[in-house]
Amino acid sequence: MPTKTLEYPSRAALEAHLPRDVQRVFGNGVYVEEWQETPSALHARLGLELPEIIADPAGDEQVLSVLHLSQVGRLRFRRGDRLRSGPLDRQAFFQAAEARRQDLVRRAEVTMLESAKAEIVTVQPIGSGLNPIRELLVYVHEEDKLDLALIHRGKQKRYLPLLESLGYLRRGRGAIHPGPELQKFVHARKDIDRTPEFYLALLGEVLARGYQDIREGLNVQHLVPIVRAANAYYWPSERMGRPLAFKAADFAVRLRQLHPNYRVDPMKLRNHLVDMAWAGIVEKNGSIYTATPEVWERYTQAMAAR
Amino acid sequence: MRGEARIPGRRRFEDKPATMAELRIMSEGLQGQRADADCYPVCIKNVLDEYYGRMHIPPDVHRVALNQLNKACGLQGRYRPTSLPLDILAAETSSLVAPARIQPVHREGARSDWSRLKEVCGDSERSYPVVTMGPDFFHDPATPYRVRGELSSWHHGCVVLAADDDVFLFDPLAKRSYPREPAKYLLHLPRTRFLTLWGADPYLNELLWFEPTEEGLLAYEDP
C-alpha cells in the first residue's frame, strides 16, 4: 500500500537527504543510482545492494558477496515551490526488487546453458526431448530441402516456428530450407561438418539461443531442472571465486534460495545430479559434486564478460 | 553458564560484565543472525533478552519475540531482502516493550557521540547499545569478512558490549557464520577505528538502547 511522500525545500536539500530517506522508507542497502532531469520534474533512480554470505559447505571459508539490483525504483519530484515525490510504496519496491533478482537468476541460467550446452544436450532425457529439432536440422542440412508435406509429427510442427524465428530454417515454396544461421554455423564448423559432433554442437547452440522459448512454450523434460541445478552450483561458486564442493542437500538449499517458489523433489534432484555428472556438467566423487574444469572456465569467463 | 552470564547477580540493575572473560561468556549466549538482512532485529532481541534478565523483569511480562521485531522492521514474507533502519525499528519497538515498562531511546547526529555511547555502555540501568556501522565495517581487518563486489550502501547493526579505550562489539552476522569462534564475532576495535566506522555518513553515530520509563524506574528500583 502506498505510504507517505517525501518533500524537500530545494534541490540541494533533496540531494543531501534523499540517500538517507530512501533507506528509511524502503530499507537498508537502497541507494540513489542516478539523477535525471526533465523540465517539469527531477527523477531519482533507485538501486538495491544485497550482500549475501556464501559459504563453502566443505570448509569454513566464507565470502560476503554483493549483488547489485539496478533500476529497482524511480522517484519523481515535481518542480514547484517545493520538490515533492509521489506516493512511496515499499511493497511495490520489493516486488520490483524480486523481479530484478529473478532477471539476474535467469541471465545466470542462460549463461549456464551457453557454457555447458555441449554437455547438456548429451543428458539422455534432454537429448530425447530435443529429437524433433535434431530431426528437422539433420534432414534440412543433409538434403538442403524438406517438403512441408513430410512434416506430420506434432512435435516437429511445434518446433518449426522456433527454428524459423532463430534463423536456422526458412520456409519457401512449400518446403523448408537452411536459414542464414545454419549456413553461418556450417561455415564456422566446416572441420566437423556432418559428423555426430557437428549435430551435437548445432543442437547445443539452438538450445542456448532458444532456451527462453523452449523453456516457456515447449516442454523439454529435465531441461529446466538440470539448468537450474547446474546454475545453483556454478553461480555461488563464481561469486565465491572458486569451485565449491557440494553435497546433494546443498543443491536443494541453493535452489530454494534462487527460486523461492520452486518445489525441489529430493529424489528427482538426485537423479538429475547423476545425469549431470554423467554428462560432464559437474564432477562427482563419492557424494561430493564439484565443477568440471572446462565448464567452470567457460562459465566464469562468460559471467565476467556480462 | 549462559544463564549466569545473563543474570550475574540477584539484585536489580546488576552491573554489566566488565572483564574480557565475562564478555566472552556473555557473547557466547547471544544469538546470531538467521538471515543476511536481519542484523537489527537480532541485535535488539539480544539486548532485550539480556536486559530483561539483568533487570529481573518478571517472567509473566511478555517477552519480545524475534518474529515481532522482524515484522516491525518490515522483514516479512518469503522474499525479505532488507530491513528498515534502526530509527524506524526503535519507534516500532516502543509498543512491544511497553508492558515491561521500558522504552527505546534512539540518538543520531549531534545527539549521539562517543561520550554518550560510553555513558550508555557503563550504565547498569540501561541496556547494551545497538549501533549502526557503515559499509566500510565489512572491509576492516578486525572483521572476519572477505568481500566480493562493491559495498557502499549497506549498513550493519552490532551490539557494543564495552566502550573504553577500545571497543568490544558483538557482530551477529559473524556469529551466524562462525558460531563456535568467539574471536570472530566478539570484535575488538581501537576507539579511533570504531569511531570512523560508526560515524560513516549518512548514518551519523546512530545509537539505540533501552531504559526504564519513569514508571519502570520506580518499579525496578533497587530495594
Side-chain angles (χ1 to χ4, degrees):
Chain A
M1 188 195 289
T3 50
K4 58 179 185 175
T5 59
L6 294 172
E7 194 174 323
Y8 301 94
S10 65
R11 181 172 176 162
L14 168 67
E15 288 182 358
H17 297 291
L18 191 64
R20 165 74 160 135
D21 289 343
V22 290
Q23 296 209 343
R24 294 171 69 121
V25 173
F26 298 115
N28 196 5
V30 179
Y31 60 97
V32 178
E33 201 177 1
E34 195 181 10
W35 294 97
Q36 289 167 335
E37 269 188 84
T38 62
S40 61
L42 201 61
H43 300 266
R45 212 167 70 181
L46 304 181
L48 176 61
E49 191 169 275
L50 288 179
E52 182 189 349
I53 292 282
I54 309 240
D56 185 353
D60 68 347
E61 192 192 344
Q62 308 203 350
V63 298
L64 190 70
S65 171
V66 191
L67 208 59
H68 284 266
L69 306 179
S70 74
Q71 300 186 38
V72 177
R74 198 170 77 138
L75 296 180
R76 178 175 181 269
F77 292 90
R78 276 181 297 133
R79 289 183 198 275
D81 288 345
R82 298 173 70 82
L83 287 151
R84 183 179 299 156
S85 75
L88 307 167
D89 189 342
R90 191 167 189 254
Q91 198 54 36
F93 183 85
F94 280 169
Q95 280 168 359
E98 174 59 357
R100 290 291 301 123
R101 194 186 70 91
Q102 284 296 332
D103 277 349
L104 290 183
V105 173
R106 264 193 295 272
R107 281 173 56 197
E109 285 173 356
V110 170
T111 306
M112 183 72 251
L113 179 61
E114 281 167 357
S115 309
K117 59 192 176 192
E119 288 79 9
I120 287 172
V121 291
T122 64
V123 174
Q124 206 184 1
I126 296 178
S128 307
L130 295 172
N131 256 346
I133 293 183
R134 194 177 169 133
E135 287 162 5
L136 288 166
L137 290 169
V138 169
Y139 194 93
V140 172
H141 179 52
E142 302 254 334
E143 299 295 327
D144 207 42
K145 178 183 165 188
L146 167 65
D147 282 338
L148 279 171
L150 280 176
I151 304 174
H152 42 74
R153 275 182 62 198
K155 279 192 174 173
Q156 289 174 342
K157 284 182 184 167
R158 277 171 61 202
Y159 283 120
L160 190 55
L162 169 73
L163 292 171
E164 285 181 276
S165 69
L166 292 175
Y168 289 95
L169 300 180
R170 67 176 172 82
R171 210 181 278 245
R173 281 182 286 184
I176 305 293
H177 302 275
E181 289 300 322
L182 180 53
Q183 286 164 347
K184 212 186 289 177
F185 186 83
V186 173
H187 185 70
R189 307 300 299 269
K190 273 192 292 220
D191 52 327
I192 55 166
D193 192 14
R194 294 176 193 238
T195 62
E197 294 77 45
F198 173 85
Y199 290 115
L200 220 48
L202 177 59
L203 201 58
E205 190 181 277
V206 172
L207 187 60
R209 293 190 52 201
Y211 178 61
Q212 204 73 357
D213 294 312
I214 293 171
R215 196 186 65 158
E216 283 164 12
L218 307 161
N219 185 25
V220 176
Q221 280 204 333
H222 296 218
L223 176 62
V224 172
I226 281 182
V227 172
R228 284 185 173 178
N231 190 56
Y233 169 79
Y234 278 96
W235 201 20
S237 296
E238 190 268 337
R239 293 176 69 186
M240 179 85 166
R242 66 172 176 79
L244 299 169
F246 266 29
K247 288 186 174 172
D250 301 317
F251 281 89
V253 169
R254 278 285 155 191
L255 275 167
R256 275 193 288 270
Q257 282 174 352
L258 294 176
H259 300 279
N261 298 321
Y262 184 49
R263 296 190 100 184
V264 181
D265 179 329
M267 278 197 290
K268 284 187 175 170
L269 177 62
R270 290 268 177 171
N271 192 32
H272 293 144
L273 295 179
V274 171
D275 280 343
M276 284 160 61
W278 182 86
I281 301 166
V282 289
E283 283 182 357
K284 184 172 191 283
N285 297 309
S287 60
I288 301 293
Y289 296 85
T290 184
T292 307
E294 300 78 33
V295 177
W296 169 252
E297 188 73 19
R298 283 180 240 139
Y299 184 81
T300 48
Q301 280 178 6
M303 290 295 271
R306 262 187 6 184
Chain B
M1 194 62 105
R2 182 172 160 173
E4 284 173 20
R6 281 188 181 172
I7 310 171
R10 284 289 172 265
R11 66 182 175 83
R12 295 171 189 221
F13 299 139
E14 187 56 49
D15 285 343
K16 291 172 177 170
T19 66
M20 185 61 200
E22 285 174 332
L23 290 178
R24 193 173 161 131
I25 289 168
M26 193 179 71
S27 66
E28 281 170 7
L30 300 178
Q31 287 186 33
Q33 286 179 222
R34 309 278 175 91
D36 292 316
D38 62 357
C39 55
Y40 295 137
V42 168
C43 282
I44 291 178
K45 171 73 178 153
N46 278 324
V47 300
L48 281 176
D49 280 353
E50 189 278 338
Y51 192 47
Y52 277 46
R54 183 154 44 87
M55 290 180 69
H56 299 271
I57 291 176
D60 56 322
V61 173
H62 174 69
R63 273 6 191 206
V64 178
L66 187 58
N67 63 4
Q68 290 177 297
L69 295 167
N70 280 336
K71 193 175 170 188
C73 71
L75 280 171
Q76 284 172 296
R78 211 163 185 180
Y79 181 59
R80 307 181 304 172
T82 175
S83 78
L84 292 170
L86 211 50
D87 56 338
I88 306 282
L89 192 49
E92 295 288 325
T93 312
S94 186
S95 60
L96 297 177
V97 297
R101 288 178 283 200
I102 61 174
Q103 60 191 352
V105 183
H106 177 266
R107 295 282 182 266
E108 66 179 7
R111 299 203 298 156
S112 167
D113 58 14
W114 171 254
S115 59
R116 176 64 64 98
L117 176 70
K118 205 173 155 181
E119 177 196 321
V120 174
C121 267
D123 188 342
S124 58
E125 290 185 11
R126 290 164 167 166
S127 77
Y128 283 102
V130 179
V131 293
T132 296
M133 306 302 282
D136 285 345
F137 171 75
F138 294 103
H139 295 282
D140 193 273
T143 66
Y145 304 107
R146 184 160 71 87
V147 181
R148 279 176 66 92
E150 194 192 337
L151 199 58
S152 59
S153 306
W154 189 269
H155 298 81
H156 186 46
C158 290
V159 180
V160 178
L161 299 179
D164 205 341
D165 289 338
D166 293 335
V167 175
F168 289 91
L169 278 178
F170 170 74
D171 176 355
L173 184 61
K175 177 78 184 257
R176 177 183 173 219
S177 296
Y178 304 99
R180 280 177 288 278
E181 297 180 62
K184 289 189 173 169
Y185 58 74
L186 179 59
L187 306 176
H188 174 200
L189 287 172
R191 179 178 143 180
T192 48
R193 183 65 189 147
F194 169 80
L195 288 174
T196 310
L197 298 169
W198 182 38
D201 192 64
Y203 285 83
L204 300 167
N205 305 347
E206 199 175 21
L207 186 60
L208 169 72
W209 72 88
F210 293 88
E211 63 184 29
T213 57
E214 257 181 53
E215 186 195 348
L217 208 51
L218 292 172
Y220 299 127
E221 201 170 63
D222 211 1

